[in-house]
RNA sequence: GGCCGCGUGCCAGAGUGGUCUAAUGGGGCGGAUUGCAAAUCCGUUUAUCGUCGGUUCGAAUCCGACCGCGGCCUCCA
């Protein structure tokens, strides 16, 4: 195996795998485009969040080496936004208007309560967009923590790591004003229906990330661009920074009247505020006044030349255009001394989309899973995490129930090693060192998690009795993979049986188990097997244990 | 129409010029164990790498054409 001495990552900006070299290896700045909280995040969303999480973990691991610097320690300032501003919903009015997504989500919540999908005791005002966003944001954080998303766990202590767009609108206004002052944005329309647009022609680098340079963008193709909305623009690709709309469900005050921000600007503001400028002493909480200092910093912060503002920026592959392209334009024009040639982030990290059972995931196909659905069925968070990270982040991985089961078994196997306490000897120490090297080599190679896992399993096959050294090695590995540290779902026990997650004690089951116990005691195996078949028909699998109690789980 | 990516066994998924006669996990098969199962453990099995052509001493790996799938160009992880 070729020795790869430092981390190389695929950079979407340059379309090549290159050494990852942060501006300051002691403090790496990383921004991830987070969820829009108008619905529960699905496993596809989590796959890309988790890919970013593995990257963050590896950067912080002692196993990771970066070109030109020592082994660490390194801190990764990882920021992930929560988009709780509704924005538009209709395709044909992509720059504004349409039904607010939060309003739509509110209606959906009302329907879900009616149909019993959401417990009726959940107190939530479906007509209040902030309440709706808060509801889904909370659920997102729960799922994220279950899956070991470090940024969500860290945000419990420092909420500024997961800023919410709705709290940053004044900051966005500051940045939009800056863009207007620097000649990169302009106000169109008359009072009452003003709009502020970013002028794509004012930024020479537009199109560098996606390849969609201005000469290649098609104008108004397919009748999707609303002529009225286009009228005020200087160039068809100019995008919205602010839309005046005093009647919109979510609105804020601005120099351009009451309205709402465009959907690209929040990421420029929050990433620079938290990662590039650094934290303020006031973690963001509920109170807006505490943030005023930060708005001040946004007014004056300037990066020399065309230097990158942050080290890393991640998102799903669909984010590359237009979202990230627009972020680059806005951020460089607002904060770089010389915007032309600016790239915003040194390296752009995009995860490809997840497929489900070989098909594109979509609600209409009914193959749309959320982590909480799967947890409710008894699937362990550790298994789901492993299943979502085990394929290379730049392939269209295929999520299958079979794969999830595979992952669950792998987790169990690894757990045995991790819990070993037998004292180590020279041999295990060398053996453990070998796997750490192989694991690190694979991870250095553009986060080849599949290969890294292969190395771990091959190593496992050589272990007859795991030692404490082996346990230590797998713990170090798991700091990167984040699988074994996941808490297990709770099972419920009765006198007769242990009910696995996803099942619960029920008189009908208990009765059958009691009858089966009696039959077995009488050595009437025919009767006991019949009962097992009955339970199987009901969807339960049972397993006898040495203690005499029966493990009940969902039939696979 | 433009730009971009992918196509490896029954499944998932590594491998991007030479022990690849293709890693690893699952499945299958055989055995241990079990009243029987399940789980676990041990052993074993399965691919010539979408198709065709080219480059090379040598290709899954590079080049070309074709077929198939997908992404972006429009909200979307």
């Amino acid at each position: 195996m070729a020795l790869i001495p430092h981390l190389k990552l695929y950079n979407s900006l340059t379309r090549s795998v290159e050494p990852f070299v942060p501006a300051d290896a002691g403090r790496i700045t990383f921004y991830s485009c987070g969820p829009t909280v108008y619905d529960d995040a699905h496993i596809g969303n989590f796959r890309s969040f988790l890919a970013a999480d593995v990257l963050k973990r590896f950067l912080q691991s002692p196993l990771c080496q970066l070109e030109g610097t020592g082994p660490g320690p390194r801190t990764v300032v990882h920021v992930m936004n929560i988009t709780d501003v509704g924005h538009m919903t209709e395709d044909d009015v992509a720059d504004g208007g349409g039904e607010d997504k939060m309003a739509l989500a509110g209606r959906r919540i009302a329907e879900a309560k009616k149909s019993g999908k959401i417990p009726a005791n959940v107190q939530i005002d479906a007509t209040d967009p902030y309440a709706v966003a808060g509801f889904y944001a909370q659920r997102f954080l729960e799922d994220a923590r279950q899956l070991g998303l470090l940024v969500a766990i860290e945000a419990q202590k420092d909420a500024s790591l997961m800023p919410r767009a709705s709290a940053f609108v004044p900051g966005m206004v500051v940045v939009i004003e800056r863009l207007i002052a620097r000649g990169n944005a302009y106000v169109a329309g008359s009072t009452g229906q003003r709009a502020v647009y970013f002028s794509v022609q004012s930024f020479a680098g537009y199109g560098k990330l996606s390849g969609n340079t201005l000469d290649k963008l098609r104008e108004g193709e397919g009748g999707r661009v609303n002529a009225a909305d286009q009228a005020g623009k200087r160039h068809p690709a100019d995008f919205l920074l602010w839309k005046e709309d005093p009647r919109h469900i979510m609105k804020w005050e601005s120099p351009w009247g009451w309205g709402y921000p465009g959907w690209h600007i929040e990421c420029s503001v929050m990433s620079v505020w938290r990662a590039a400028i650094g934290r303020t002493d006031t973690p963001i909480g509920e109170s807006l006044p505490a943030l005023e200092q930060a708005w001040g910093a946004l007014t004056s912060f300037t990066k020399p030349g065309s230097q990158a503002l942050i080290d890393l920026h991640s998102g799903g592959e669909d984010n590359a255009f237009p979202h990230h392209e627009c972020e680059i334009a806005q951020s460089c024009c607002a904060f770089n001394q010389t915007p032309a040639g600016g790239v915003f982030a040194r390296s752009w990290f995009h995860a490809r989309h997840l497929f489900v059972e070989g098909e594109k995931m979509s609600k209409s196909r009914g193959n749309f899973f959320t982590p909480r659905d799967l947890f409710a069925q008894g699937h362990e968070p550790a298994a789901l995490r492993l299943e979502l990270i085990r394929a290379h982040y730049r392939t269209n991985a295929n999520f299958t129930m079979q794969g999830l089961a595979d992952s669950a078994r792998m987790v169990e196997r690894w757990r045995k090693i991790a819990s070993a306490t037998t004292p180590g000897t020279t041999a295990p120490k060398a053996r453990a060192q070998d796997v750490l090297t192989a694991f690190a080599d694979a991870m250095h190679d553009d986060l080849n998690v599949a290969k890294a896992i292969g190395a771990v399993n091959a190593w496992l096959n050589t272990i007859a009795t795991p030692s404490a050294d082996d346990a230590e090695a797998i713990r170090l590995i798991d700091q990167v993979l984040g699988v074994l540290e996941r808490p297990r779902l709770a099972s419920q026990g009765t006198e007769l049986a242990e009910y696995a997650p996803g099942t619960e004690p029920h008189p009908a089951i208990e009765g059958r188990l009691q009858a089966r116990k009696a039959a077995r005691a009488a050595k009437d195996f025919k009767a006991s097997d019949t009962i097992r078949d009955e339970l199987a028909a009901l969807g339960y699998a049972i397993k006898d244990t040495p203690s005499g109690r029966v493990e009940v789980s969902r039939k696979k």
Side-chain angles (χ1 to χ4, degrees), chain A residues 298-525:
Chain A
L298 287 170
T299 311
S300 56
F301 176 75
T302 302
K303 197 82 174 176
S306 304
Q307 284 177 28
L309 306 173
I310 57 176
D311 294 312
L312 273 165
H313 193 130
S314 76
E317 58 173 322
D318 54 291
N319 274 159
F321 190 90
H323 186 50
H324 290 162
E325 197 71 76
C326 295
E327 275 189 55
I328 291 173
Q330 290 167 344
S331 306
C332 295
C333 289
F335 299 112
N336 268 124
Q337 201 174 43
T338 318
V343 293
F344 184 15
R346 296 167 82 93
S347 190
W348 288 81
F349 182 87
H350 290 108
R352 290 198 145 256
H353 280 179
L354 183 71
F355 282 56
V356 169
E357 305 288 355
E359 291 192 309
K360 194 175 167 179
M361 180 164 44
S362 72
K363 285 186 174 168
S364 58
R365 283 194 172 98
N367 58 1
F368 198 86
F369 296 102
T370 66
R372 54 209 309 133
D373 290 338
L374 294 168
F375 298 157
Q377 288 168 26
H379 297 288
E380 292 283 344
L384 180 56
R385 180 178 167 104
L386 181 58
E387 177 63 7
L388 292 176
I389 66 171
R390 70 201 266 217
H392 192 97
Y393 72 91
R394 281 193 295 116
T395 63
N396 288 117
N398 189 14
F399 176 88
T400 59
M401 293 314 271
Q402 176 62 252
L404 186 56
D406 289 0
S407 293
R409 296 182 69 160
M410 222 185 286
V411 170
E412 285 310 312
R413 229 179 137 201
W414 293 359
R415 278 201 169 116
K416 281 184 194 164
I417 306 290
S419 58
T421 52
T422 315
T425 63
T426 313
K429 212 161 226 162
R431 185 170 74 187
Q433 193 51 53
D434 284 348
V435 71
L436 289 177
T437 303
F439 179 83
D441 281 351
M443 293 300 289
H444 279 125
D445 182 14
D446 195 27
L447 302 186
N448 194 335
V449 177
K451 191 175 179 183
I453 288 173
V456 172
N457 284 325
W459 162 68
L460 244 56
N461 290 335
T462 68
I463 299 177
T465 357
S467 73
D469 288 332
D470 296 321
E472 187 51 39
I474 203 154
R475 266 182 236 123
L476 206 50
I477 285 168
D478 196 55
Q479 278 176 19
V480 178
L481 298 180
V483 168
L484 301 182
E485 59 176 51
R486 297 292 87 229
R488 305 176 110 129
L489 294 174
S491 55
Q492 300 177 64
T494 64
E495 291 261 325
L496 282 169
E498 189 70 20
Y499 290 81
T503 62
E504 47 187 62
H506 187 278
I509 302 170
E510 289 279 303
R512 284 187 166 84
L513 290 178
Q514 187 64 57
R516 179 167 176 275
K517 192 177 180 180
R520 292 184 74 213
K523 299 226 184 290
D524 182 356
F525 295 121

Side-chain angles (χ1 to χ4, degrees), chain A residues 223-295:
Chain A
R224 281 167 168 151
V225 178
N226 183 312
D229 280 340
Q230 290 293 324
K233 291 185 181 181
R234 293 178 187 168
H235 186 282
D238 285 355
F239 54 90
L240 192 75
L241 294 171
W242 189 268
K243 175 77 175 171
E244 180 177 23
D245 184 354
R247 284 180 303 202
H248 204 74
I249 185 168
M250 295 184 98
K251 59 176 188 278
W252 293 264
E253 197 168 15
S254 83
W256 319 284
W258 284 85
Y260 56 89
W263 76 285
H264 306 301
I265 193 69
E266 61 176 72
C267 289
S268 291
V269 172
M270 292 187 280
S271 58
V272 167
W273 175 77
R274 184 60 183 86
I277 297 175
R279 70 162 302 153
T280 64
D281 287 334
T282 315
I284 118 162
E286 303 308 312
S287 67
L288 284 172
L291 294 169
E292 280 168 13
Q293 277 184 13
W295 308 154

Side-chain angles (χ1 to χ4, degrees), chain A residues 105-158:
Chain A
R107 281 219 322 272
R108 191 163 46 226
I109 286 183
E111 283 164 19
K113 285 183 82 167
K114 209 181 272 179
S115 68
K117 210 177 167 193
I118 294 175
N121 59 10
V122 172
Q123 290 301 315
I124 171 166
D125 178 357
T127 63
D128 174 1
Y130 291 94
V132 171
F135 173 75
Y136 283 115
Q138 194 51 45
R139 286 162 70 94
F140 172 77
L141 290 171
E142 286 166 16
D143 291 347
R145 287 174 192 137
Q146 286 276 294
L147 287 169
L149 205 68
L150 235 37
V151 65
I153 293 165
E154 290 174 356
Q156 287 178 297
K157 288 190 177 158
D158 178 0

Side-chain angles (χ1 to χ4, degrees), chain A residues 12-15 204-213 325 328 341-343:
Chain A
S12 310
L13 191 68
T14 58
R15 294 180 188 83
Y206 194 84
K208 189 177 176 187
L209 175 67
S210 62
N212 289 327
T213 47
E325 197 71 76
I328 291 173
V343 293

